[in-house]
Amino acid sequence: PDLRPSAPVAHSPVPPLSPDPAVLLDQVGPLLRNAPISMQRCIGILRETVSHHERRAPLTPSSVARLIANEGLEVLVQPSKHRVFADADYSRAGARVTDDLSPASAIFGVKSIPIDLIRALPGRTLAFFSHTIKGQEANMPLLDACVESGVRLVDYECIKTAGVSEGGQRLVAFGEYAGKAGMINALRGLGLRLAAQGYETPLLDLMPAHAYDSYATATAALARVGQRVTKEGLQTEVTPLIVGVHGQGRVGQGALETFAALGQDVVKQVDPAHLASVADAGGDDSLSRSLFVTSFGPEHTVEPDPPRRSFHVGEYLAHPERFRTVFHKNLLPYLTCLVHAAYWEPKYPRLLTAAQLAEDAATAGGQPRLRMIADLSCDVPGALEPLVRTTAVDSPYYLFDF
């Protein structure tokens, strides 16, 4: 209610945005020309400050050159030693490299913009990943600052083919890469956890995702790990090693693609319905020379409550209160590593609670098969109750005492 305008506001119709980046860029210019404040001919690109590992840029030098040539915009770029594009690349494109973005009417970033900068530049249009669309508590001060400063917030998560409707396809999405980086770090974390419990595996050869200079370099390292598993095998106590990926969207697909980079000789796909038979198969040497992966969605993790009817995804999405989770009974007991890569809101049943995790451990005699959880959604609180806090690139893991 605090965001409602005190008087009617007239809005010019905005045409549907194109999923083609080249066409989308051409649509940006006219929208900026219609900006309501006098500084409309100037835009700014922020220097990322949330993490020193952040190298992404909201606009490439080639895009900047097009905006300058085709739309007559002035582009200001804050200098950065970490950005993937050098300052000189932007200068050659016609931008002005400067710390001062005050002349800009619209300012583009990637991660969260510092609150003090938001307050110092009131009335601007700010475009970045704000992580506020689901009411994330940690970012409410940022949203408050935007409201107090009269800022127009353009959240990349809300730029869709059908405007802000729930059915629209997102046009600015890094989910695939989150899945790829997340799977690398999940496998590395699993290797560290197993080593701490006395089991050394080839997974220890993996570096953190950000330490690889390219995805090709990372997949080559994964292939070498797979080759070692095929040749040397794993200890019987940790086999069969089964990784479960929850989610079948961009994040989940990116995670599965990265797992497949371990190599076709070592990676074995398992249908969720067959997990129990694979997990309980003992004495087979091929189990120690394989890495198993399964992918599942809500049709595998929830059931109608009461369970007197069949599952229909449409009903689940429209009326999640009619369903209850069965993940902890049907899938959890057979997984070595859980990679959560699905969208979740509080209206949906939780995938896993702390009590369910403790119950699984008790059933397994104190040492559950599960050794690692990688929550790539990183919502606190979210689908996984054991995710009690977020982590940082430099310290990506913590132990949860259930």
Side-chain angles (χ1 to χ4, degrees):
D2 294 338
L3 300 180
R4 295 173 183 167
S6 57
V9 177
H11 295 282
S12 301
V14 176
L17 296 176
S18 169
D20 183 340
V23 177
L24 180 63
L25 188 62
D26 288 335
Q27 291 178 314
V28 170
L31 293 176
L32 290 173
R33 284 200 299 272
N34 293 329
I37 58 179
S38 59
M39 299 171 289
Q40 62 185 9
R41 307 303 298 173
C42 181
I43 66 172
I45 297 176
L46 277 169
R47 172 177 52 243
E48 299 299 317
T49 58
V50 171
S51 169
H52 65 274
H53 294 291
E54 182 59 75
R55 303 187 67 208
R56 290 176 293 178
L59 290 169
T60 65
S62 60
S63 296
V64 166
R66 288 180 58 193
L67 288 173
I68 293 172
N70 298 346
E71 305 299 336
L73 297 178
E74 181 182 6
V75 180
L76 308 177
V77 180
Q78 284 190 327
S80 172
K81 296 179 180 179
H82 301 292
R83 192 183 290 125
V84 67
F85 302 107
D87 296 341
D89 294 335
Y90 287 101
S91 295
R92 283 190 290 268
R96 179 156 58 94
V97 178
T98 175
D99 282 308
D100 182 15
L101 299 183
S102 60
S105 62
I107 298 173
F108 297 82
V110 177
K111 300 294 283 185
S112 297
I113 295 179
I115 291 177
D116 57 350
L117 181 60
I118 293 174
R119 290 177 174 149
L121 298 172
R124 304 316 200 272
T125 293
L126 303 180
F128 60 101
F129 285 110
S130 72
H131 299 294
T132 59
I133 191 65
K134 289 186 282 186
Q136 291 94 319
E137 184 177 353
N139 293 325
M140 289 302 98
L142 180 148
L143 189 59
D144 289 340
C146 289
V147 174
E148 294 163 3
S149 302
V151 159
R152 174 193 288 161
L153 171 58
V154 178
D155 193 317
Y156 296 139
E157 289 189 58
C158 298
I159 301 178
K160 302 180 179 181
T161 53
V164 296
S165 69
E166 291 188 7
Q169 180 183 0
R170 283 181 57 183
L171 297 180
V172 185
F174 286 94
E176 175 189 349
Y177 303 99
K180 291 177 176 178
M183 179 58 80
I184 293 170
N185 286 340
L187 292 173
R188 177 175 181 266
L190 177 59
L192 291 171
R193 182 59 179 154
L194 290 173
Q197 295 178 321
Y199 308 109
E200 291 200 11
T201 69
L203 295 175
L204 286 174
D205 292 348
L206 292 173
M207 299 189 298
H210 72 271
Y212 295 105
D213 60 6
S214 69
Y215 182 61
T217 305
T219 55
L222 285 163
R224 290 192 294 272
V225 167
Q227 291 165 4
R228 280 196 60 195
V229 172
T230 302
K231 180 179 179 180
E232 303 169 17
L234 303 172
Q235 291 96 324
T236 304
E237 293 84 352
V238 299
T239 59
L241 193 154
I242 304 175
V243 175
V245 178
H246 177 228
Q248 297 159 329
R250 289 189 181 97
V251 182
Q253 291 303 312
L256 290 170
E257 177 187 319
T258 298
F259 192 89
L262 289 160
Q264 62 181 3
D265 292 336
V266 68
V267 172
K268 309 298 182 190
Q269 297 274 351
V270 183
D271 187 281
H274 301 149
L275 274 182
S277 60
V278 173
D280 295 338
D284 188 345
D285 182 64
S286 66
L287 295 178
S288 69
R289 302 179 188 277
S290 301
L291 298 172
F292 297 86
V293 64
T294 186
S295 174
F296 46 88
E299 66 273 22
H300 306 107
T301 61
V302 299
E303 69 177 7
D305 185 16
R308 292 195 295 264
R309 61 189 187 280
S310 58
F311 174 87
H312 295 284
V313 67
E315 181 189 7
Y316 173 66
L317 294 176
H319 297 284
E321 72 280 0
R322 299 177 183 174
F323 294 79
R324 63 187 178 192
T325 182
V326 291
F327 166 76
H328 62 296
K329 297 178 181 179
N330 296 349
L331 299 176
L332 177 65
Y334 312 115
L335 300 180
T336 311
C337 174
L338 166 63
V339 178
H340 174 57
Y343 180 81
W344 185 85
E345 290 183 33
K347 64 181 180 180
Y348 297 111
R350 266 193 163 136
L351 182 68
L352 180 65
T353 67
Q356 291 165 351
L357 187 61
E359 178 185 346
D360 178 63
T363 303
Q367 177 53 66
R369 181 185 293 271
L370 188 73
R371 315 282 181 142
M372 174 78 187
I373 295 176
D375 189 345
L376 309 190
S377 70
C378 207
D379 286 334
V380 181
L384 301 179
E385 193 174 29
L387 184 76
V388 295
R389 63 177 175 85
T390 60
T391 60
V393 173
D394 291 320
S395 182
Y397 313 112
Y398 64 84
L399 293 177
F400 180 76
D401 184 358
F402 51 82

